[in-house]
Amino acid sequence: MPLNNTQYNAIVRTYEEKQNKNRRALEERRKYVYAHVDGYKEMEDSVASLSVEQGRKLLEGNETALSELKFLLKNLSESKTSLLTASGFPATYLEPIYDCPDCQDTGYINGKKCHCFRQAEISLLYEQSNISRMLEKENFSVLSYEFYEGEDLARFQNAVKECKKFIGNFSFHYHNLLFYGTVGTGKSFLSGCIAKELLENGNSVIYFSAVGFFEALSHLSFDYKNKEELHNVYEDFYQCDLLIIDDLGTELTNNFVTSQLFSCLNERHLRKKSTIISTNLSLEELRNRYSDRIFSRITSNYTICKLSGPDIRIYKRLNKAE
């Protein structure tokens, strides 16, 4: 869950690559302007000579040299901009280029990780939770109703309808989903369908199995050297656009798990950040395993979709064997 040194250094290298790429792009722009805009290079070269000249005057006791330099440089800058625009270039054409203007491709703002750095870390979380590979197989393009019939089909169709409504309203409507029911009936599949759509729309999504989710929190909570990392992870879980907790109930449930689950669900509710939970537990089992307040939080704030039917994964394996 927390970044190891190799992962951290890999992210840092991407920032070095961005800086080098953008420096090269700016240098190419400058060369092009020098070659196609008469007089521009001479103006730039005069900046150094002006600075030297006014610096000499300042050393000789001319108290107005510094203010004169500022005035001359301002005029020179305006002349350069006018020359650029008159030649058909944007006024900002030769300003520094950044992938992230907020941190200027350093990854940090005032000593704290920039949102772009945090997003890079979240991307690693995706890899650790295997979401990238999962979404290649679990998306709406492969959705099928052929494994369902009768009441099972009606339930699955209703769940698909809720998923599409969830995606369509996501940007302006706070909403949560609970998928529950028997094993292999499409709960994780539908969570993956939603994750893929929202990721492609630029939303931040964190997907974890319940086991991985609580193991990560347990590891960090009892590692006193990683308090800052724990804070960052909590912020990711609390603040990401969508948190998906898959297979709730497969973890070893104890007081730590119960308190962490309530804190997460409650904090995300307060922040109006959407959550999807899938579980093989029945609603009664969900109430008995976790606290009444967790059950109340879920049943009060989540659209509940029950799925039933045969275990589709086993069905597919048997068909392949034939």
Side-chain angles (χ1 to χ4, degrees):
M1 173 64 180
L3 296 183
N4 57 39
N5 289 336
T6 300
Q7 292 169 322
Y8 178 84
N9 290 336
I11 292 178
V12 170
R13 281 196 298 274
T14 66
Y15 281 93
E16 294 172 352
E17 291 166 2
K18 290 176 186 177
Q19 293 167 11
N20 290 333
K21 175 199 69 175
N22 289 331
R23 275 196 292 264
R24 288 193 297 269
L26 182 59
E27 186 57 31
E28 288 301 314
R29 288 186 179 186
R30 183 172 285 108
K31 288 179 180 177
Y32 188 86
V33 168
Y34 287 171
H36 294 85
V37 180
D38 292 338
Y40 191 91
K41 186 176 187 305
E42 289 73 15
M43 284 188 181
E44 283 219 327
D45 291 342
S46 67
V47 171
S49 58
L50 265 178
S51 299
V52 170
E53 177 61 22
Q54 295 303 118
R56 183 184 60 77
K57 290 181 180 180
L58 186 62
L59 291 173
E60 291 175 349
N62 186 336
E63 296 180 358
T64 64
L66 187 57
S67 59
E68 287 176 3
L69 177 61
K70 291 180 179 178
F71 176 77
L72 292 170
L73 290 179
K74 181 175 180 295
N75 285 343
L76 188 57
S77 177
E78 291 173 351
S79 298
K80 287 163 57 183
T81 300
S82 297
L83 199 55
L84 269 182
T85 56
S87 301
F89 295 94
T92 59
Y93 190 67
L94 291 182
E95 290 183 2
I97 302 169
Y98 302 113
D99 284 15
C100 178
D102 295 335
C103 69
Q104 298 185 350
D105 293 342
T106 65
Y108 285 81
I109 301 174
N110 297 325
K112 294 184 178 180
K113 291 176 183 176
C114 178
H115 59 84
C116 63
F117 197 106
R118 300 301 299 137
Q119 187 59 49
E121 291 182 311
I122 288 175
S123 296
L124 284 177
L125 295 183
Y126 297 159
E127 293 178 16
Q128 290 180 334
S129 61
N130 296 317
I131 191 172
S132 298
R133 289 189 292 276
M134 182 194 76
L135 297 187
E136 292 176 3
K137 299 179 180 179
E138 299 185 357
N139 56 75
F140 283 123
S141 69
V142 296
L143 184 146
S144 172
Y145 297 99
E146 67 175 296
F147 306 105
Y148 304 90
E149 58 184 27
E151 185 179 32
D152 300 335
L153 175 60
R155 285 172 172 167
F156 187 69
Q157 288 174 326
N158 177 67
V160 171
K161 178 182 175 182
E162 290 297 333
C163 290
K164 293 185 175 179
K165 185 192 301 183
F166 182 91
I167 294 166
N169 297 335
F170 189 79
S171 60
F172 54 86
H173 178 56
Y174 164 63
H175 199 49
N176 305 298
L177 290 174
L178 170 69
F179 297 122
Y180 83 100
T182 50
V183 175
T185 50
K187 300 181 296 296
S188 297
F189 172 81
L190 291 178
S191 297
C193 289
I194 293 173
K196 181 176 175 61
E197 294 291 320
L198 294 183
L199 283 169
E200 290 181 349
N201 289 335
N203 297 287
S204 58
V205 179
I206 294 181
Y207 185 111
F208 261 91
S209 69
V211 172
F213 181 76
F214 293 114
E215 280 183 353
L217 290 178
S218 176
H219 171 73
L220 287 169
S221 295
F222 299 108
D223 184 350
Y224 297 103
K225 295 179 181 178
N226 277 317
K227 288 303 178 183
E228 181 180 354
E229 190 65 37
L230 178 62
H231 172 76
N232 291 335
V233 168
Y234 274 125
E235 275 303 301
D236 287 339
F237 288 160
Y238 293 161
Q239 194 60 30
C240 65
D241 296 325
L242 175 64
L243 173 65
I244 300 176
I245 303 175
D246 194 27
D247 278 339
L248 185 67
T250 55
E251 80 288 346
L252 178 63
T253 308
N254 51 37
N255 290 336
F256 173 82
V257 165
T258 301
S259 64
Q260 290 293 318
L261 179 60
F262 178 78
S263 294
C264 184
L265 299 187
N266 188 59
E267 185 64 30
R268 288 187 63 79
H269 174 64
L270 293 174
R271 299 189 188 199
K272 303 300 180 187
K273 294 294 184 179
S274 296
T275 305
I276 295 176
I277 298 173
S278 73
T279 181
N280 296 328
L281 301 175
S282 68
L283 293 181
E284 183 179 358
E285 290 170 328
L286 198 64
R287 180 197 289 273
N288 292 337
R289 180 174 291 223
Y290 304 99
S291 65
D292 285 340
R293 61 179 184 168
I294 289 177
F295 185 77
S296 175
R297 177 69 73 210
I298 292 173
T299 54
S300 300
N301 299 302
Y302 285 62
T303 295
I304 299 176
C305 298
K306 182 177 182 179
L307 295 173
S308 56
D311 187 332
I312 295 170
R313 285 169 289 198
I314 292 178
Y315 185 85
K316 287 181 176 179
R317 283 198 294 269
L318 291 175
N319 280 353
K320 284 183 179 179
E322 293 175 359

